[in-house]
Amino acid sequence: MAISEDGLEYTFQLRKAFWSDGSLITAHDFVYAWKKVLDPAFPTDYAQILYVVKNGKRAKIKECSLDEVAISAIDDSTLKVTLEYPTPYFLSLVAFPTTFPIPVGLDEKTPMWMVSKETMIFNGPFKINHWDKQFALLLEKNDTYWDKEHVFLKNINFTVITDATTESYLFEKGELDWLGQPLSHPISSELLYKLKQEGSLLSYDVLGTYMLKFHTQKEPFNDPRLRKAFSYAISRSKIIKHILQGNQQVATALLPPSLALQKNPYFQDEDIDEAKRLFEEVLTEKKLTREKFPKVIVSYVLSERNGKMVQLLQEIWQQTFGIKIELSGTEMQCYFQKLRAGDFYLAMGDWIADFQDPISFLEIFKSNEEKNKTSAVSYTRNHTRWENAIFTNLLEQATFEKDPLIRKKHLHEAEQILMNEMPIAPLYHYSFDYVKKPHIKNAHLSLLGIADFKHVEIEQ
Amino acid sequence: MIYYFFKRFFSMVLALFVVITLTFLMMKAIPGDPFTQEKALPQEILNSLNAHYHLDAPWYEQYRSYLFSLIKGDLGPSLIYRGRTVNDIIKSGFPISFTLGLEALCISTVAGIGLGIIAALKKNRWQDYLSIGIAVLGISIPSFIFAAFLQYLFSIKLNLLPVARWGTFSQSILPAFSLAALPTAFIARLTRSHLIEVLSMDYIKTAYSKGLSLKKVIFKHALRNCLLPVIAYLGTLIANILTGSFIIEKIFGIPGLGQWFINSITNRDYSVIMGLTVFYSVILLSSIFLVDLVYIWIDPRIKIGNQNAK
C-alpha cells in the first residue's frame, strides 16, 4: 500500500486471495462494492463511512454520477482511492464492514445472496456451515482463506440466548465457552458479582462514552454554569462501583483514554464544592430561589440499569442543590423521537466510535449545515442543540490539516471548548466485560468492540 | 348449514379487515420509525431507505399496496432483518411455538379437567382444597417467575433437565409446563364450578338411580355439560398458546414466534407487526370458529340457522 505525499491518494496492492467459491478476489470487487454503497438507490444505513472518498457524498445525494467517485481498479490487484481531504484514520475506516468487497455482479445475479448459506460467499478465516436465523450459527474454517495455516479452530458454534440469567446458567453448566460483550448482552449483575469474587471476570476497553445530554436552548440548562454544576456534582465512581459493577472508567473528558488529547482530566469527578458555588452564583444572579427553580426532568430509556442510574443521579442532585428532580422513563423509540423533537431537559445517551480517531466523537457536535434546509432533521446527531462556530471551525481546520501535530492541537482545542461549555456531561467510558473458559487463547478484541477469532487456539 | 358457514366466513373476513385497518393506523400513529436509532442517519440516507421500502408514499398508498400483496399471500420483507421476509419468519418460528403450545395445551386440558373433577367430587374436603390451592397458585404466580423457578430447581439444583435451548423432547418439558400453568389453573376452576352445578341436577340423580357407576355418570353424563365453558375458553387459549409466549421463549432460549410479537414493535418493524397481527387474527378467528362447531356437536340444544332454537 502506498499513500501519496499529500495524504489524498491511497494505492492498495491486493494479495493473491480467493473467494470461497475459488475465484480470485480482485480490485474490481472492491470498486463494485464501494460504488454500490454510494449508489443513491442502494439502501444502506452506513454510506457516510465512505463520504471521505472524493465525490462520495455528492454521488449519494445525486449531485454527480457514480463514475465520478474516485475509486478505481488499475488492474486486477491494484486499487486506487482518492480522498476529499487527508484522512489519517482512513485505514481504520476501510476495516469497517460496510467497506468489505463482494464479487462483481453478485447481488444482481442473486439479489438475496446474503440470506442462505448456499448463495453466500466468504473470504475470511471462517465460513457458515449452518445457520438457523435468530437461533444458532455454526462457523467452520474456510479452506480458501489466504492465511489458513494460522487458523486453528475447526468450528465455532454460536447460540442465540436473549435472557442473561439463562445464559449464565448455560455457562456454569459448561454448555457455553464464552459469555458477555461484545458477543452478547452485558453479563447479569448477579453473575458479574460472583465472577468478580472468583477473579475470573475479564474486560477490555472500548471506544465508547456514556453521557448526559443537556438541552442547551431551554431553561434552565441554557446557562453553561448550571450544566457544569450538574456535571461536577455527579459521583461517577459511585455509578461504576455500585451500579455498573464492571471495569468501566470514570469519564472526565468526551474522548476515552486511548484517544485522549490531554493527560489531565478536564474537571474533577464529584466536585461538590465547585458545583454548589456555580449553582449559588446562578441563583443569586437570576434572583431565583430553590422553590422557584425551573423544572428539571431527567429522560431515559426504560431499563433496569438506567433506572438505577437515574435514581442515583436524582439523589445526588437533590442533596447537592436542594431542588426537586423528576424522572421520566420512556420506551426506546419514543425516547429518540422526544430527543429529536427537543422535548427534554436532561437525557441519557452514549456514543460508540466507528473508527479510531478523536473526530469520530467530536464531529457529533459540529454545527449542522443542513439546519436551514430542513429543520425537522437538524440536530439529529447532537440532540443538545449546542452550536459553537469556533468549535466547528477547529474541526474544519483539523479536517484539512496535513501535519498530525497541528491537527491534534486543533482537535484538543475543540474538546477544551466542549468541556468548558459542557453541552454534555461525560459519565463513564465503556469497557466490555466477558468471561471465557481458560483454555481459549488468542482471541483479539478491538477497541471498536469487535471480537476476532482468527488466531484462537484451544489449549489442551 | 351451508348458509351458516357462508355467514361465518364472511364475518371472519370482515373482522380480519377491521383488525388490519386498525393495526395499520395505530402502527403509523405511534412515534418512531424502523430507522430511528441513537446514531441518527444523514437525511439522504434516510430518504434512500424510505424510498426502498416505499415508506415515503402517503399512508393510504402504503395501506392499499399492503392489502394487495396480502391478498396474494405476501406479507412483505422485514425492515430490520435484511433479506428476511415475514412469511419466512412465520415459517421458521411458528412450527416451534406450535409444538410447544400443543404440549402445553395437552398438559393443561388433561391436568385442568382432572384437577377440576377431583375438586368437585371431593367438594370441601382436603382434595378440593389442595387442587384449588394449586389452581390459585397457577393463576397468581406470573409465568416468568414460575419458569425461572422450574429452571432453577430442575436444571440447576436437581440437574434433571436441560437449562434451555430447543431441539430435543427433554428441552421442551420445562417450557411446556411453565406455559401450561395458567391455563391448567383456569380450566380446573371452570371445571370444578360447573361440575358442582351439574352434579346437583335432576338428570344426574336419575343416572345414579338407574344404577350407573360413578365413572359412567361423570364421564358420560356430567362432564359433557360442564365442558362447554372450558371449550369456549379453549378458543382463545389455542390461538394464544400456539403462537408462542415472549417470556417463556426468552427464558428457555426457544426460537419461536412469540418473541417476534414484542421485538417487532420495539423495532417498529412495520411489516412484521402487520404480518404477525394478520397471522394471529387468522388463527384466533379460525379457532373460535372451530370451537363453535365443537359446541354444536357436544350440545345438541344449540341449533344452527334455526330461529326457534331452545
Side-chain angles (χ1 to χ4, degrees), chain A residues 190-208:
Chain A
E190 303 82 33
L191 184 66
L192 203 64
Y193 180 75
K194 205 173 140 192
L195 293 171
K196 262 196 146 171
Q197 298 287 313
E198 286 173 9
S200 55
L201 186 72
L202 299 164
S203 64
Y204 69 105
D205 293 342
V206 169
L207 295 179

Side-chain angles (χ1 to χ4, degrees), chain A residues 163 165-166 169, chain B residues 141-157 163 174-175 177-179 247-248 250-252:
Chain A
D163 190 78
T165 314
T166 304
Y169 285 161
Chain B
I141 298 178
S143 67
F144 62 92
I145 293 188
F146 189 59
F149 171 71
L150 288 184
Q151 189 185 44
Y152 182 71
L153 183 67
F154 288 100
S155 324
I156 301 299
K157 283 286 142 189
V163 175
L174 290 182
F177 272 95
S178 321
L179 209 51
I247 201 80
I248 301 293
K250 186 171 184 293
I251 291 176
F252 292 103

Side-chain angles (χ1 to χ4, degrees), chain A residues 115-126:
Chain A
V115 177
S116 82
K117 74 163 216 213
E118 280 73 32
T119 49
M120 245 186 280
I121 192 153
F122 309 90
N123 62 9
F126 301 100

